[in-house]
Amino acid sequence: MGGNHCKEMEKWKFLDKFYLLSLDGTGFFTSHKVHCDQCCEKVHKRGTKDEYTTYHHQMIVGSIVHPEMRQVLPIGFEPVERGDGSKKNDCERNSAKRWLGNFRQAHPQLPVVFLGDGLYSNAPFIRQVKKHRGKYILVARDDDHKALNDYFWAATSLDVTDFTDTSQGITRRYRFMEHVPLNDAHPDLLVTVIYYEEVNKKQETIKWTWVTDLEVTAQNVSRIVKGARTRFKIENETFNTIKNQGYNFEHNYGHGYKTLSNVFAGLMLLSFLIDQCLEAINVEFKAALKKWVSRIHLWQKIRSIFFHFRVSTWEKLYGAILDPPRLCVDTVSYTHLRAHETVLDLV
């Protein structure tokens, strides 16, 4: 990638130094009959006459995200394996450990802050993140972190920073504290706790709590909160897009007996990454997407062009999308074309 394109990555930098990397799991195949050696299994109504098994594939995906960037950049995936455990949480956690190792091997110098939901705010995962030279901002749900929350809310004003900001009818409360033990089982693992509360114009309230190892100050806490809330882009802008906007991520293109299903899913993520890069930096791609409004309609247009024309360059493809060619073919010539399956060149 050329120097100018490498500079485009600066747009995704967070706190002028890091890249936010949101990590989460998703399923992409399920069946009662079709399966392979790598399929995970779940037995339903065990021990009854109606017992049956579903076979499924899942993977852990990491995407670079940013509060101010619409595009997301998936940069790695790790399939959930049968040996990862019988429970969903165990499966994702074990796969995430492999993901971290593979990621750091592929990107040894990339400074990242890992974003994760409550599944990841545990000592083993945090220690793995530290081992692989990463930072973290992880959701800490109240029901999973009673000891942490008790410690945090019992703190005196000397130990905690707590302030409120109101603008444009929205009231935001920030409260944070350093050196809080993660839990009773790991009192040596100290984290910074951030509590954020937002009350909108309708007096609706949302509350979040995260643990992090970033340096938090009154000056940067609002930026860190914005970064933390960007975690959802792994679900909306990544998984929702590839499942519901024309990529057909959950379609069974061919299952195979070993790893074919995982390979196809990986190729789908690769194609999505290319599209996201084009959307971020390619003027013609942006114009084409704007003209056809949705990705589904754009993909249909591209397929129709490839069906009727031989396209020699990307420029000609985008030209045909933005300014469709006008064909003047009489009845005899058109019949001849269809009879001989002739393909026209875009000129």
Side-chain angles (χ1 to χ4, degrees), residues 290-302:
K290 181 179 180 180
K291 177 176 181 177
W292 292 94
V293 183
S294 73
R295 286 179 172 82
I296 292 178
H297 291 150
L298 179 58
W299 306 154
Q300 290 173 344
K301 182 63 178 177
I302 291 175

Side-chain angles (χ1 to χ4, degrees), residues 64-78:
I64 292 177
V65 297
H66 191 278
E68 299 172 4
M69 292 298 295
R70 181 178 178 180
Q71 296 79 28
V72 297
L73 307 176
I75 62 170
F77 75 94
E78 177 64 31

Side-chain angles (χ1 to χ4, degrees), residues 1 12 40 43 97 99 103 114 123 141-142 167 187 194 198-199 211 218-219 222 227 291 301 328 330:
M1 186 176 289
W12 276 273
C40 297
V43 179
K97 291 178 184 178
W99 191 99
F103 162 78
F114 289 101
R141 295 193 296 258
D142 292 349
S167 62
I194 300 175
E198 180 179 296
V199 182
V211 294
Q219 289 71 40
S222 62
K291 177 176 181 177
K301 182 63 178 177
C328 296
D330 59 32

Side-chain angles (χ1 to χ4, degrees), residues 82-310:
R82 295 182 66 174
D84 285 329
S86 58
K87 297 181 179 180
K88 179 180 182 295
N89 288 1
D90 293 338
C91 290
E92 286 196 23
R93 285 169 178 163
N94 289 326
S95 298
K97 291 178 184 178
R98 292 196 303 275
W99 191 99
L100 286 171
N102 293 335
F103 162 78
R104 189 47 83 193
Q105 184 176 4
H107 306 279
Q109 304 302 324
L110 193 65
V112 294
V113 178
F114 289 101
L115 307 178
D117 61 19
L119 181 66
Y120 298 106
S121 56
N122 58 80
F125 182 79
I126 289 175
R127 295 191 195 281
Q128 284 292 316
V129 169
K130 290 178 173 291
K131 174 183 175 181
H132 294 294
R133 294 173 285 112
K135 298 289 186 178
Y136 60 86
I137 310 174
L138 306 171
V139 174
R141 295 193 296 258
D142 292 349
D143 51 349
D144 293 333
H145 292 279
K146 185 180 184 304
L148 178 140
N149 277 284
D150 289 346
Y151 190 104
F152 177 64
W153 289 104
T156 65
S157 59
L158 296 177
D159 299 319
V160 68
T161 300
D162 194 329
F163 65 95
T164 300
D165 171 63
T166 301
S167 62
Q168 299 180 336
I170 299 176
T171 300
R172 301 174 178 87
R173 180 187 178 188
Y174 301 92
R175 177 184 171 95
F176 62 90
M177 179 183 180
E178 298 178 328
H179 309 303
V180 179
L182 181 66
N183 52 41
D184 291 336
H186 300 275
D188 59 319
L189 184 51
L190 304 180
V191 300
T192 295
V193 179
I194 300 175
Y195 171 82
Y196 174 71
E197 179 179 306
E198 180 179 296
V199 182
N200 64 20
K201 296 178 181 179
K202 297 180 180 180
Q203 297 303 301
E204 298 169 330
T205 303
I206 60 170
K207 301 177 182 180
W208 291 88
T209 304
W210 299 276
V211 294
T212 183
D213 61 346
L214 291 172
E215 180 181 359
V216 184
T217 67
Q219 289 71 40
N220 73 5
V221 66
S222 62
R223 295 172 64 190
I224 291 177
V225 165
K226 286 181 180 179
R229 296 182 67 181
T230 310
R231 185 202 70 80
F232 74 88
K233 289 193 173 186
I234 186 69
E235 299 172 359
N236 293 350
E237 275 77 354
T238 305
F239 298 151
N240 180 60
T241 300
I242 59 179
K243 290 182 179 182
N244 301 311
Q245 297 188 33
Y247 292 89
N248 300 316
F249 187 62
E250 295 174 298
H251 178 74
N252 180 21
Y253 291 96
H255 199 80
Y257 298 101
K258 292 185 178 180
T259 60
L260 184 63
S261 185
N262 291 329
V263 170
F264 279 138
L267 291 173
M268 189 69 68
L269 281 170
L270 179 60
S271 68
F272 174 65
L273 170 61
I274 293 171
D275 291 339
Q276 291 289 283
C277 291
L278 287 171
E279 185 178 331
I281 66 176
N282 187 283
V283 174
E284 292 171 318
F285 185 92
K286 291 181 188 179
L289 186 56
K290 181 179 180 180
K291 177 176 181 177
W292 292 94
V293 183
S294 73
R295 286 179 172 82
I296 292 178
H297 291 150
L298 179 58
W299 306 154
Q300 290 173 344
K301 182 63 178 177
I302 291 175
R303 281 195 292 267
S304 69
I305 291 173
F306 278 121
F307 183 79
H308 292 290
F309 298 96
R310 181 182 294 111

